[in-house]
Amino acid sequence: MSKLGLPPVITRAPSRLRRGPRNAEQMFPGSSGKSRFGNLFGKMPWLTKLCFLWLILVVLAAALADLIPGLADPNYQGFVFGDGKTNEGPTASHWLGTDNVSRDILARLIYGARVSLIFAFSLAAIGIIVGGTLGSIAGYFRGLLETFLMALVDTWLSFPALIGLVFITTMLGMRNLVVLVLVGAVFIWPSYTRIARATALSVSGQAFVTAARAIGTSRKRILVREIFPNVLPALLAYSLVGLPILIILESTLSFLGLGVEIPTASWGGMINQARQDLLINIWPAVWPAVTLFMTVYSFNNLADWVRTQAAARSAAI
Amino acid sequence: MAVSEEPTYTSTSSESMGGSEILRVEDLHTSFFLPIGELQAVRGVSFSLKRGRSLGIVGESGSGKSVLARSIMCLNLGSNVKTSGSAFFDGRDLLSLSRREMRRLWGTEIAMIFQDPMTSLNPMVKIGRQVIEHLRQHKNVNRREAKQTALDLLNEVRIPEAESRIDRLPHELSGGMRQRVSIASALACEPSLLFADEPTTALDVTVQHQILNLLSREQRQRNMTMVMVTHDLGVIAGRTDDTLVMYAGKVVEQASTDEIFEKTQHPYTEALMRSIPRTTHASHTPLAAITGRPPVATHLPAGCAFSPRCPYVQPKCHEEDPPLVSIGTSGHKSACWYPVGSDANREAFERNLSDRLPQTLAVAESLDADQSSGIPAGLPDGGIA
């Protein structure tokens, strides 16, 4: 090589390319389908890695809370039975201490994560299913239905969701998680519908939709097979950005005392509870606040990273 | 209209030539209603096509060839479109069929291949599944049979390692491979009539060649009727049986492909052929482009639509639109008052040359360059606009 007088930087190609690609997997890493997500974690920046690990930890802890050995009952008030103290600092049995009614803070954080995550994920799922269906129908079939639906969406969106939520939850006698999710669903579908409809509009103009018609595909089938799968990525991206907002929303409701009924643990409710003795012991407020912050930040960071990856990938396509 | 003369022609020809008539288009008009006015994309096109033959539709961008194909397929295009006339497929008028009846024909009887293989496949669905789904929609086959048929099809359109590629997404394949997949998908249910709407325009020249050969081979093997829409005379040369040259929404010349090339009648066809660069030309020979631009379809010129660009134009051309009339006996038709090769044509050329008409001078220039082939031609002189 040196005979050609080439600078050494050219002669040292990365090892992956040195002998030339031998198969498609080497030419387009991750394209063969087998390891499509295998090397994604390795490509993350270190902060995103941390965020990703934190989210996995939160999700696992929430999912497996009942199975964690030695975890205290989140609603067990030790001082009533004489075996616990209120506003206790970290001890061997209560790693993060206890709150002002002597419940274990760590246990309540973990069970609170369950409420937050179930609320956020089920609302996102409802948004994708309901909004995706309505929006795809509106964007593909057009016509009077679209006009009506979009007018409804615009009206709905002009109504402040938080006030509506507060109003309805105040009215309701019973506020368990299922009821809260259903009430949230009333306000979540319009934004998803709008995004789905806009995406469906642009997808409908694509040649492959005409191609599908030209091979005799029915309109219903085109909606299900051609339009909806292409609307889905946009909705997933939107819901990833929307998840932290939904977590905050649940915490806000709980903080206002309008979330899940006490004594069920939730992060917002814990902060509200700790507010009463804030000047005596700040830690019962700090732990849920920090957890909330880290979770929301992690979702945002991860969503941002996914977005740049998707942009790079569609540019490569 | 002026074009649909000779009512006896279709009835006699369908029996005389052996093959039965599969498609007969009569006086087809398609208009788009735009805010700036009515855009007549197709203005009275008539032709007929026999089973197992292939037809090339040639014309510039905006000449209405794609709209014609889509009008016949009833794949048109929005609520502001109006189509009139008739297109008989196997005796049934496609333009009067309901959507439901049409859907039964699409794919199984009539299929279409689209220009851009990058966008004509669903980016979210594996290519094998796109072919399999199509088969399962129309044929009563189970999943395994459909997969086997899809594999056979992908092999037939020469996709190497079809067994592994069947699970790929479209973006993982090259443009040529994708076009092969869309051909496989179009052929899946063995249509008897195939429209290929500029199937190679988005591809490299070498890949173009392969795809065109593939299409011709499939057409012959399956005894399929094919309509090839293209702006490239080189694409249809030697590949299609008949050729239709379109300009501004009308057929200007119609003949067997050999005859179009050998006995060109219409000045527009002649100009198209002259603009093909030849290897015998010296390097840097100026391309004999057609002077002027295609007319704007909302504001067509009076008389013959080609008259503003025609080197043989005469006052009559600006006044009266020439009808499509038969020339000779072999079904060759042309729409020109001064067809190429006639004495009237030569006189018109001389007259325009002495009047120093720009498009005529440009043609004379390139004729000179042709005769003195081998010697580098000079730049066009400044007198030519």
Side-chain angles (χ1 to χ4, degrees):
Chain A
M1 283 310 207
S2 59
K3 262 184 264 175
L4 298 170
L6 292 173
V9 64
I10 291 178
T11 61
R12 283 193 62 81
S15 62
R16 184 161 56 82
L17 299 174
R18 213 171 280 155
R19 234 165 292 135
R22 272 164 300 178
N23 57 40
E25 177 57 37
Q26 283 181 336
M27 274 197 283
F28 310 104
S31 68
S32 68
K34 254 183 241 165
S35 61
R36 194 171 284 164
F37 300 105
N39 50 6
L40 271 183
F41 183 73
K43 286 197 287 183
M44 290 178 186
W46 64 270
L47 188 58
T48 311
K49 270 184 198 168
L50 280 183
C51 292
F52 187 65
L53 290 176
W54 170 255
L55 288 178
I56 288 190
L57 185 74
V58 171
V59 170
L60 280 182
L64 307 174
D66 298 327
L67 303 176
I68 299 173
L71 190 68
D73 180 347
N75 297 326
Y76 180 75
Q77 295 173 305
F79 80 114
V80 176
F81 304 98
D83 62 344
K85 283 189 274 182
T86 58
N87 288 326
E88 197 182 16
T91 62
S93 54
H94 304 294
W95 289 4
L96 298 181
T98 57
D99 66 3
N100 59 0
V101 286
S102 76
R103 292 176 296 199
D104 184 64
I105 291 179
L106 181 62
R108 287 185 73 72
L109 277 184
I110 289 174
Y111 280 90
R114 198 177 258 191
V115 172
S116 287
L117 293 182
I118 290 178
F119 182 81
F121 278 108
S122 24
L123 274 187
I126 290 175
I128 289 175
I129 292 167
V130 175
T133 310
L134 291 178
S136 300
I137 290 173
Y140 180 55
F141 288 139
R142 312 294 310 270
L144 212 62
L145 184 78
E146 184 200 20
T147 316
F148 176 73
L149 201 61
M150 285 304 123
L152 189 68
V153 163
D154 289 340
T155 321
W156 215 284
L157 280 175
S158 66
F159 191 74
L162 186 63
I163 294 177
L165 273 174
V166 168
F167 180 73
I168 297 179
T169 45
T170 312
M171 287 305 180
L172 286 171
M174 180 184 61
R175 292 195 313 271
N176 60 28
L177 197 49
V178 177
V179 171
L180 277 183
V181 166
L182 288 179
V183 174
V186 172
F187 294 94
I188 198 76
W189 71 271
S191 54
Y192 279 87
T193 306
R194 189 184 252 187
I195 287 169
R197 178 251 182 185
T199 317
L201 267 183
S202 77
V203 171
S204 306
Q206 300 265 351
F208 63 83
V209 177
T210 319
R213 282 190 69 200
I215 57 175
T217 313
S218 68
R219 278 161 72 82
K220 221 187 304 169
R221 207 184 167 90
I222 287 180
L223 183 76
V224 177
R225 297 283 181 182
E226 314 282 332
I227 306 287
F228 193 68
N230 286 287
V231 167
L232 201 57
L235 293 182
L236 286 175
Y238 178 70
S239 65
L240 199 53
V241 178
L243 279 175
I245 299 172
L246 288 170
I247 292 175
I248 296 265
L249 182 69
E250 188 277 325
S251 299
T252 310
L253 284 176
S254 295
F255 182 76
L256 294 173
L258 299 167
V260 286
E261 280 164 358
I262 46 176
T264 311
S266 71
W267 294 343
M270 288 171 75
I271 298 174
N272 190 27
Q273 176 90 22
R275 200 168 48 90
Q276 298 162 10
D277 289 337
L278 202 59
L279 294 177
I280 303 166
N281 182 11
I282 200 171
W283 293 105
V286 168
W287 292 121
V290 167
T291 313
L292 183 63
F293 165 77
M294 282 171 65
T295 308
V296 168
Y297 179 80
S298 297
F299 267 117
N300 280 334
N301 187 296
L302 197 70
D304 197 44
W305 182 79
V306 168
R307 194 181 50 75
T308 54
Q309 288 301 300
R313 203 165 149 202
S314 62
I317 293 167
Chain B
M1 291 293 291
V3 181
S4 57
E5 29 57 80
E6 287 187 300
T8 51
Y9 171 75
T10 46
S11 56
T12 51
S13 67
S14 56
E15 287 120 37
S16 61
M17 299 285 282
S20 65
E21 186 180 76
I22 188 167
L23 181 69
R24 190 173 80 242
V25 176
E26 281 174 2
D27 196 25
L28 187 78
H29 289 256
T30 301
S31 293
F32 296 87
F33 292 92
L34 303 178
I36 51 166
E38 181 186 356
L39 189 155
Q40 301 181 329
V42 178
R43 304 185 295 150
V45 169
S46 306
F47 66 89
S48 77
L49 192 56
K50 288 182 197 66
R51 196 176 287 278
R53 286 177 74 83
S54 55
L55 172 75
I57 302 181
V58 194
E60 271 170 290
S61 301
S63 58
K65 53 197 190 305
S66 284
V67 176
L68 172 65
R70 286 179 182 222
S71 299
I72 296 168
M73 271 199 88
C74 297
L75 274 179
N76 249 353
L77 298 155
S79 51
N80 61 340
V81 184
K82 192 171 151 279
T83 305
S84 66
S86 43
F88 292 99
F89 172 79
D90 262 349
R92 288 205 282 171
D93 187 2
L94 296 177
L95 300 186
S96 66
L97 290 184
S98 72
R99 193 183 284 276
R100 185 182 297 269
E101 289 170 311
M102 203 59 223
R103 204 188 304 141
R104 220 166 288 142
L105 293 181
W106 277 332
T108 52
E109 293 291 326
I110 313 175
M112 191 167 202
I113 298 166
F114 292 86
Q115 174 171 352
D116 190 354
M118 307 292 158
T119 57
S120 61
L121 294 171
N122 187 341
M124 301 296 288
V125 179
K126 292 172 180 173
I127 57 158
R129 209 169 132 212
Q130 305 203 26
V131 181
I132 291 169
E133 295 250 313
H134 180 199
L135 280 164
R136 280 171 55 83
Q137 265 173 59
H138 290 295
K139 291 190 170 173
N140 193 16
V141 290
N142 65 34
R143 206 167 281 275
R144 192 175 309 145
E145 287 166 349
K147 184 168 184 182
Q148 190 51 49
T149 316
L151 259 178
D152 294 344
L153 274 165
L154 292 179
N155 278 320
E156 192 178 328
V157 297
R158 305 262 161 92
I159 288 183
E161 300 172 47
E163 289 79 4
S164 68
R165 291 235 161 75
I166 200 165
D167 285 328
R168 292 293 170 85
L169 291 169
H171 77 263
E172 294 168 345
L173 301 181
S174 67
M177 286 297 155
R178 275 185 248 188
Q179 194 61 297
R180 284 169 198 268
V181 173
S182 41
I183 290 172
S185 178
L187 296 177
C189 291
E190 290 159 4
S192 42
L193 176 61
L194 180 71
F195 283 93
D197 187 358
E198 308 212 26
T200 58
T201 307
L203 304 175
D204 280 355
V205 181
T206 46
V207 182
Q208 269 190 24
H209 178 76
Q210 296 164 4
I211 295 288
L212 290 171
N213 286 349
L214 170 69
L215 276 175
S216 305
R217 187 166 51 94
E218 293 295 333
Q219 187 242 333
R220 254 178 282 116
Q221 276 176 7
R222 294 164 181 261
N223 195 27
M224 190 170 58
T225 317
M226 184 164 72
V227 177
M228 175 99 79
V229 176
T230 176
H231 61 244
D232 188 351
L233 273 173
V235 163
I236 56 150
R239 286 210 174 79
T240 61
D241 301 317
D242 300 302
T243 298
L244 213 68
V245 182
M246 283 187 74
Y247 188 77
K250 282 196 170 188
V251 177
V252 294
E253 186 162 6
Q254 174 183 358
S256 72
T257 304
D258 294 339
E259 196 151 317
I260 285 261
F261 280 91
E262 281 161 22
K263 298 181 198 156
T264 311
Q265 291 291 326
H266 198 277
Y268 177 63
T269 318
E270 189 199 37
L272 276 183
M273 287 188 202
R274 201 183 288 126
S275 63
I276 301 173
R278 280 166 222 282
T279 46
T280 53
H281 282 167
S283 150
H284 294 86
T285 305
L287 203 60
I290 308 176
T291 42
R293 294 171 168 280
V296 181
T298 44
H299 298 88
L300 291 170
C304 173
F306 189 56
S307 59
R309 309 170 75 187
C310 181
Y312 315 112
V313 62
Q314 294 298 306
K316 186 181 184 185
C317 303
H318 293 303
E319 288 153 15
E320 244 183 296
D321 201 4
L324 190 68
V325 292
S326 291
I327 295 158
T329 49
S330 56
H332 195 148
K333 295 181 180 186
S334 161
C336 183
W337 297 120
Y338 305 92
V340 175
S342 67
D343 292 336
N345 175 281
R346 268 187 289 278
E347 282 167 29
F349 188 72
E350 292 303 326
R351 209 173 301 137
N352 288 347
L353 205 55
S354 58
D355 290 348
R356 299 193 63 79
L357 215 64
Q359 62 263 40
T360 317
L361 286 174
V363 168
E365 180 97 10
S366 72
L367 284 179
D368 282 351
D370 257 4
Q371 279 156 11
S372 58
S373 164
I375 302 154
L379 292 168
D381 71 60
I384 297 165

